[in-house]
Amino acid sequence: MTEVTSVLIGREDIRRRVQELGRTIAGDYLGREPVLITVLNGGAVFLADLMRAIDRRLEVHFMAVSRYGAEGHEKGRVAILLDLEVDIDGRDVVIVEDIVDTGLTLAYLHSILRERTPASLQVVTLLDRSVRRIAPIAPRYVGFPCPDRFVVGYGLDHRGRYRNLPDILQIDDLTVLDEDPDALFGPRFDVRG
Ligand code: IMP
Ligand code: MG
């Protein structure tokens, strides 16, 4: 089991890096009031920690998008499932993402938000899997580079599951999860302490 599944980034490393990102963003937005826009559902856990690491006035709002087209169809279009309830014209917007992979989702979101004329538009992502990038988009703030491996935990899912894991786990063989959906829970991956 541990050969195909291992802790890629532990909770303490995540905590430390999120604090750093929060301090950096707080410094960069001095005298301004950023609007953090989170992409549901994956970005929610990161947002919850990041927003509390930013010692500054800010707002949080949510969007949900979905890539459609056949699975693995990289050029699939993106649909807005949940739109903003706030006018971002003239605001300093920061998109909060869990992971940027091909960048297609983010590039689409970026272009839609850009049309709404924010004063500025930046991206913070916890993980950046830049080796798989298709769309030419570079996040301003990156938590960690991510290897070309499937990851779950800290908001990231596999078929809706495992978002509640406190660490980020690398899954080299997804059939393990099909055979035992509880494989990632319990003492084996409890690296607390
Ligand atoms: P992109 O459009 O290819 O950049 O897709 C990014 C989205 O795909 C992320 O926001 C995640 O929701 C999802 N995603 C990409 N890689 C992973 C992964 O390794 N684990 C879980 N979700 C992922
Ligand atoms: Mg996402």
Side-chain angles (χ1 to χ4, degrees):
M1 168 67 68
T2 44
E3 290 140 38
V4 292
T5 306
S6 55
V7 176
L8 180 68
I9 308 167
R11 65 198 75 180
E12 188 50 37
D13 290 333
I14 297 172
R15 194 196 64 77
R16 220 177 294 122
R17 186 70 187 114
V18 171
Q19 294 302 313
E20 284 175 5
L21 286 172
R23 277 196 299 274
T24 303
I25 292 171
D28 287 357
Y29 288 82
L30 212 64
R32 293 186 281 165
E33 184 170 7
V35 179
L36 306 187
I37 295 180
T38 300
V39 188
L40 296 172
N41 297 323
V45 177
F46 178 40
L47 170 78
D49 287 341
L50 181 68
M51 65 190 280
R52 287 175 291 173
I54 301 173
D55 187 20
R56 181 156 318 292
R57 271 189 288 132
L58 55 75
E59 287 180 36
V60 264
H61 295 279
F62 297 93
M63 284 186 84
V65 297
S66 122
R67 289 259 297 273
Y68 56 91
E71 209 173 313
H73 189 260
E74 307 281 24
K75 295 257 148 65
R77 305 216 15 222
V78 180
I80 294 184
L81 303 179
L82 174 73
D83 206 343
L84 293 175
E85 290 175 352
V86 66
D87 183 6
I88 58 167
D89 176 50
R91 304 296 305 272
D92 292 296
V93 172
V94 182
I95 302 173
V96 180
E97 260 286 21
D98 49 358
I99 182 167
V100 183
D101 188 45
T102 64
L104 291 171
T105 311
L106 183 60
Y108 175 78
L109 192 63
H110 198 277
S111 70
I112 288 202
L113 296 181
R114 175 52 68 205
E115 285 170 14
R116 301 179 187 181
T117 58
S120 65
L121 181 58
Q122 298 292 354
V123 177
V124 55
T125 185
L126 181 66
L127 301 177
D128 184 6
R129 193 185 282 126
S130 54
V131 293
R132 284 185 28 95
R133 196 64 34 84
I134 293 173
I137 192 151
R140 172 83 169 79
Y141 307 99
V142 172
F144 301 93
C146 184
D148 195 6
R149 292 286 154 67
F150 195 79
V151 293
V152 296
Y154 199 74
L156 292 143
D157 74 304
H158 172 57
R159 295 185 185 153
R161 292 175 175 145
Y162 311 115
R163 297 191 195 277
N164 57 323
L165 293 170
D167 309 293
I168 296 173
L169 306 187
Q170 169 180 324
I171 315 293
D172 291 341
D173 181 0
L174 287 169
T175 63
V176 167
L177 303 184
D178 298 330
E179 283 159 21
D180 179 9
D182 289 319
L184 304 183
F185 297 103
R188 192 175 354 222
F189 286 99
D190 195 347
V191 296
R192 240 179 300 253

